[in-house]
Amino acid sequence: MTEKHTKKAESKSPKASSRAEAAKLKQKQELALQIIDLLKKEYPEAGCTLDYNQAWKLLVSVRLAAQCTDARVNVVVEDLYAKYPDIPSLAQAPVEDIEAIVKPCGLGHSKARDISACMKILQEEYEGQVPDQFEKLLKLPGVGRKSANLIMGDVFGKPAIVTDTHCIRLVNRMGLVDGFKEPKKVEMALWKIIPPKEGSDFCHRLVYHGREICTARTKPHCDRCCLKEICKKQGVEP
């Protein structure tokens, strides 16, 4: 076998492929650390944009936030909590009454139904407490991976990756993931490159950055982006 053919065979070998994947992963990990550091400096106080002072209220808000802005949710829940200030009262409230209040958030009936069912489960199965286990959160009505991760990170201070629309759009543009948009797939890819203790705050900062700089409805403002020197896809949609 000639030297040329030998090199070609090696390049296709499982070991060579594995080395290439490991090198690529290391590059992404290094890029992620750079991005995390720059975003920390740009948004030092970034946190959850949903207002809450108790875990169950965040659970309600994340359900209402589906296809709705956080700003609107923050206004709507004021009326909801004024009438139903705790888990027992909300669990006992007629679904149609909850729907009447949360209707401005869209999908009023399904959201009201899920909130009612969720509060009943918290009261009956968890002694009025929000469970701190990811799999248990996923079993609550209306709670998906994104919501469960948000609660795990913000309420319980545990490692979390919240793959909302800002996160998915930005990590593609930055080159941290390779052109896919499925939330769970993005989440799994980020777990490999984001230090666990940084995940929750990193995702919050992406929300701020996505709203202010790396926007969805207009061309990204790359000229004033803190990541412009290292971003892999400046101004280019994934």
Side-chain angles (χ1 to χ4, degrees):
M1 183 180 291
T2 65
E3 181 180 353
K4 181 178 179 181
H5 288 158
T6 300
K7 289 183 178 179
K8 187 175 181 180
E10 287 177 351
S11 68
K12 292 183 178 181
S13 71
K15 287 185 178 180
S17 177
S18 179
R19 286 195 297 268
E21 287 298 318
K24 185 177 181 181
L25 181 62
K26 185 176 180 180
Q27 289 179 344
K28 289 184 181 294
Q29 289 171 336
E30 292 173 350
L31 176 62
L33 291 177
Q34 289 180 284
I35 291 173
I36 288 169
D37 184 56
L38 290 170
L39 290 179
K40 278 184 179 181
K41 294 175 181 177
E42 191 73 8
Y43 311 101
E45 303 299 326
C48 183
T49 52
L50 291 168
D51 295 337
Y52 71 98
N53 56 14
Q54 296 181 64
W56 69 270
K57 291 183 177 180
L58 181 57
L59 195 57
V60 170
S61 289
V62 293
R63 181 64 187 99
L64 294 178
Q67 300 182 38
C68 181
T69 65
D70 290 357
R72 176 169 291 183
V73 171
N74 289 337
V75 172
V76 169
V77 292
E78 290 183 7
D79 292 335
L80 183 66
Y81 302 147
K83 189 170 184 180
Y84 305 111
D86 49 35
I87 291 175
S89 61
L90 193 52
Q92 294 167 15
V95 172
E96 56 269 23
D97 289 358
I98 299 174
E99 181 180 355
I101 298 174
V102 304
K103 189 175 181 180
C105 293
L107 305 174
H109 182 70
S110 62
K111 290 180 179 181
R113 181 191 60 212
D114 287 342
I115 289 170
S116 176
C118 190
M119 294 302 107
K120 285 182 172 64
I121 291 173
L122 293 185
Q123 186 176 26
E124 296 169 3
E125 298 184 22
Y126 296 107
E127 299 181 345
Q129 302 296 316
V130 175
D132 63 353
Q133 297 178 33
F134 190 79
E135 294 303 323
K136 288 184 177 180
L137 286 169
L138 286 181
K139 293 179 181 179
L140 296 174
V143 176
R145 296 188 66 86
K146 180 179 73 174
S147 299
N149 269 300
L150 179 63
I151 292 167
M152 291 294 288
D154 276 49
V155 174
F156 301 113
K158 296 185 178 183
I161 296 287
V162 182
T163 51
D164 62 6
T165 55
H166 290 291
C167 175
I168 294 170
R169 184 177 77 254
L170 268 61
V171 295
N172 271 282
R173 284 178 173 174
M174 294 170 181
L176 294 179
V177 301
D178 299 319
F180 46 84
K181 300 181 180 181
E182 300 89 340
K184 185 175 180 180
K185 192 173 181 179
V186 172
E187 179 192 336
M188 294 301 106
L190 291 179
W191 278 120
K192 296 178 182 178
I193 62 175
I194 304 293
K197 66 178 182 179
E198 300 286 358
S200 182
D201 288 341
F202 170 68
C203 292
H204 285 321
R205 292 187 174 100
L206 289 181
V207 172
Y208 282 78
H209 195 64
R211 290 175 178 173
E212 297 178 15
I213 303 296
C214 201
T215 55
R217 295 183 180 180
T218 64
K219 186 177 180 180
H221 305 291
C222 296
D223 57 318
R224 50 190 176 91
C225 178
C226 64
L227 307 175
K228 62 184 178 182
E229 301 299 329
I230 61 173
C231 180
K232 299 299 183 183
K233 300 182 179 181
Q234 294 184 44
V236 180
E237 289 289 351

